[in-house]
């Protein structure tokens, strides 16, 4: 006999299944399938809007002017991939958002990176899974957004191999289970600072020094712990060396040196726009200045 209690139990079970399926469907709507192989794969994830009318640089605005998303790169154990400037070796990832719908622009943000020894050279990149936050600006904030991307990158273990991934995802700004992952990735993006701006982590000064072997730049960094320094030229065809730590810094600071080398033909070092990135533990800053 079908008792009232059994009917209640069946109804509760059905509701539980319905809620589970609804949660799974919501999660599926906020991530694309992985595209890759056993070494690496990529996918897109979408985040919700924070709700405020304004937000710090690099985060989404609640008025729909920008939306939050991320590109996840999954790496097998022992493999690494590269930063936007790969250092002495490697190639940077390249992104093609052609085919996206109602997308005016996409800004790719880069979480703090790591120096990676590679056959006597120093590469720059990521040794484990990484999420690159994306700031998506719709052409029309009131209409749906579909993000489509093709990623061409490289992954390395003992040997380096080219990789490619494609992903497509609707980005609505609605509730998303990816908010915590995106917030963690956004928190790792280096904070913008000015040369000489004080703080626990700061690029305090830089100066040119001429030696019998050529000119070099000396950079002093204020840091609470061991830091790594990276420098980029004004355009991607510059290949400045990775700065190396040297002795002689005042207390509470680290000193780095890099040779003035790696400019493309015809380019001048004097007055060139450069970007320094400093990583110390969980903290990172980015300083743009000129080699005056």
């Amino acid at each position: 006999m079908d008792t009232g209690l059994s009917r209640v139990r069946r109804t509760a079970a059905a509701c539980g299944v319905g809620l589970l399926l609804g949660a799974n469907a919501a999660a599926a709507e906020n991530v694309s399938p992985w595209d890759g192989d056993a070494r690496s794969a990529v996918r897109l994830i979408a985040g919700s809007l924070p709700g405020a009318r304004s937000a710090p640089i690099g985060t989404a605005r609640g008025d729909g002017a920008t939306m939050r998303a991320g590109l996840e790169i999954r790496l097998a154990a022992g493999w690494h991939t590269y930063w936007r400037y790969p250092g002495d070796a490697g190639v940077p990832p390249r992104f093609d958002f052609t085919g996206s719908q109602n997308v005016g622009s996409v800004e790719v943000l880069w979480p703090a990176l790591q120096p990676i020894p590679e056959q006597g050279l120093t590469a720059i990149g990521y040794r484990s899974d990484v999420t690159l936050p994306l700031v998506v600006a719709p052409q029309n904030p009131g209409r749906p957004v579909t993000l489509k991307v093709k990623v061409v990158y490289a992954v390395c273990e003992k040997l380096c191999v080219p990789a490619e991934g494609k992903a497509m995802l609707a980005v609505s700004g609605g509730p998303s289970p990816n908010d915590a992952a995106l917030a963690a990735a956004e928190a790792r993006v280096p904070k913008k600072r000015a040369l000489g701006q004080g703080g626990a982590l700061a690029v305090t000064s830089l100066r040119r020094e001429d030696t019998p072997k050529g000119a070099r730049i000396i950079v002093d960094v204020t840091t609470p712990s061991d830091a790594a320094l990276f420098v980029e030229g004004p355009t991607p065809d510059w290949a400045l060396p990775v700065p190396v730590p040297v002795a002689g810094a005042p207390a509470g600071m680290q000193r780095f040196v890099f040779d003035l080398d790696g400019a493309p033909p015809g380019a001048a070092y004097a007055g060139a726009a450069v970007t320094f990135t400093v990583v110390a533990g969980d903290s990172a800053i980015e300083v743009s200045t000129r080699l005056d």
Side-chain angles (χ1 to χ4, degrees):
M1 179 180 293
D2 189 11
T3 67
L5 180 59
S6 64
R7 286 196 298 272
V8 169
R9 287 172 176 167
R10 289 200 306 272
T11 302
C15 290
V17 170
L19 289 173
L20 179 60
L21 291 175
N24 289 339
E29 290 174 356
N30 287 283
V31 299
S32 70
W34 287 105
D35 187 27
D37 55 28
R39 294 169 298 212
S40 67
V42 302
R43 72 174 180 178
L44 287 169
I45 62 174
S48 61
L49 295 175
R53 300 275 315 169
S54 62
I57 294 174
T59 61
R61 291 162 50 109
D63 58 7
T66 61
M67 308 179 79
R68 300 169 75 212
L71 177 73
E72 289 188 334
I73 302 178
R74 184 178 66 192
L75 298 168
W79 290 78
H80 65 264
T81 192
Y82 296 101
W83 191 50
R84 67 188 182 207
Y85 175 55
D88 297 335
V91 294
R94 294 286 181 255
F95 311 97
D96 182 358
F97 293 98
T98 301
S100 297
Q101 299 176 15
N102 191 33
V103 173
S105 66
V106 181
E107 180 185 4
V108 180
L109 305 180
W110 298 85
L113 51 141
Q114 300 169 306
I116 303 172
E118 202 171 274
Q119 298 181 358
L121 303 173
T122 301
I124 306 172
Y126 304 102
R127 295 175 179 268
S128 57
D129 298 354
V130 63
T131 298
L132 305 181
L134 305 176
V135 182
V136 183
Q139 289 179 327
N140 185 338
R143 302 187 63 183
V145 168
T146 298
L147 197 59
K148 184 177 181 180
V149 65
K150 175 182 176 181
V151 190
V152 178
Y153 60 114
V155 291
C156 300
E157 190 190 33
K158 295 179 181 178
L159 296 175
C160 293
V161 296
E164 181 179 303
K166 297 179 180 179
M168 185 168 66
L169 182 65
V171 182
S172 68
S176 170
N178 305 312
D179 286 343
L182 282 172
E186 290 163 354
R188 294 184 58 221
V189 175
K191 308 300 184 291
K192 294 185 183 298
R193 297 287 187 268
L195 176 66
Q197 182 177 344
L201 190 62
V203 178
T204 306
S205 66
L206 66 125
R207 67 183 187 274
R208 173 176 171 145
E209 181 180 77
D210 292 310
T211 74
K213 295 183 178 179
R216 64 180 189 170
I217 299 294
I218 300 174
V219 186
D220 283 342
V221 173
T222 300
T223 175
S225 60
D226 285 345
L229 178 69
F230 309 93
V231 60
E232 301 167 82
T235 57
D237 53 349
W238 282 61
L240 295 171
V242 177
V244 296
V246 295
M253 303 177 71
Q254 268 187 267
R255 178 163 292 169
F256 296 85
V257 170
F258 65 95
D259 293 332
L260 279 182
D261 186 25
Y269 292 104
V274 295
T275 300
F276 293 102
T277 301
V278 187
V279 181
D282 293 331
S283 300
I285 62 170
E286 180 181 291
V287 175
S288 296
T289 186
R290 290 186 178 275
L291 296 176
D292 294 332

